[in-house]
């Protein structure tokens, strides 16, 4: 039996490293292609009316767009999951240093067949000087992100 030379051992080690590295890259590409398709269904608002519902829709799009492993799908029939939601609590009051806004949202995640998979809720607040509408947008986005926090566990 012949002893492997140093050159052969080095070549073998290099081949193994390339094989393993190539597999990791391939896994990342496949993972990127397999992002979970999520669609946003009808948004509503127990408080705030149509403007609040539109704001929730915007917040859902923003929160999902930044969520790793999720691809927002425009068509419900192409999505694996559908998220619908509502603003359930909204308060805006003036305080000594500006405005204080509190917001709560409730979201429902269904699969493509309409079966309920999860009920999520989130709440947040914003306080400070300046434009109350900007504070409201930040509070709503934070409440939406708070509700979506367990999304990675729910949708995989």
């Amino acid at each position: 039996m012949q002893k492997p030379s140093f050159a052969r051992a080095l070549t073998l080690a290099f081949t193994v490293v390339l094989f393993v590295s190539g597999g990791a890259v391939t896994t990342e590409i496949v993972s990127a292609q397999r992002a979970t398709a999520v669609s946003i269904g009808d948004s509503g608002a127990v408080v705030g009316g149509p403007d609040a519902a539109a704001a929730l829709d915007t917040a859902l799009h923003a929160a999902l767009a930044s969520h790793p492993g999720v691809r927002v799908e425009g068509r419900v029939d192409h999505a694996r999951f559908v998220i619908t939601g509502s603003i359930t609590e909204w308060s805006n009051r003036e305080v000594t240093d500006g405005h204080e806004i509190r917001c709560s949202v409730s979201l429902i995640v269904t699969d493509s067949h309409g079966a309920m998979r999860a009920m999520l809720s989130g709440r947040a607040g914003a306080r400070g000087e300046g434009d109350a509408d900007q504070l409201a947008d930040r509070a709503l986005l934070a409440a939406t992100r708070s509700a979506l926090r367990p999304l990675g566990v729910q949708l995989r």
Side-chain angles (χ1 to χ4, degrees):
M1 180 169 195
Q2 211 177 19
K3 283 187 174 181
S5 69
F6 179 72
R8 279 190 175 167
L10 187 60
T11 303
L12 179 62
F14 184 73
T15 304
V16 169
V17 168
L18 280 179
F19 180 76
V20 171
S21 297
V25 170
T26 304
T27 303
E28 286 179 31
I29 291 170
V30 169
S31 295
Q33 291 173 347
R34 291 189 180 168
T36 303
V38 176
S39 182
I40 298 171
D42 293 330
S43 298
V46 175
V47 293
D51 291 339
L56 177 58
D57 188 66
T58 301
L60 279 167
H61 275 89
L64 287 171
S66 66
H67 203 286
V70 173
R71 178 177 44 88
V72 177
E73 178 64 50
R75 294 182 51 180
V76 172
D77 57 339
H78 287 129
R80 183 171 176 201
F81 298 100
V82 178
I83 298 177
T84 58
S86 181
I87 297 174
T88 56
E89 178 187 348
W90 188 266
S91 69
N92 180 356
R93 68 184 184 117
E94 288 190 32
V95 291
T96 57
D97 59 343
H99 296 278
E100 181 181 69
I101 306 208
R102 295 193 182 271
C103 176
S104 296
V105 298
S106 185
L107 305 176
I108 297 174
V109 179
T110 60
D111 64 17
S112 60
H113 304 290
M116 188 182 316
R117 297 293 300 265
M119 293 181 69
L120 308 170
S121 63
R123 58 183 0 186
R127 183 179 183 151
E129 296 179 354
D131 186 20
D133 290 337
Q134 287 182 349
L135 286 173
D137 289 343
R138 280 190 257 159
L140 179 56
L141 181 58
T144 304
R145 285 184 175 155
S146 171
L148 294 174
R149 188 168 293 139
L151 186 69
V153 175
Q154 298 289 335
L155 297 183
R156 298 206 189 255

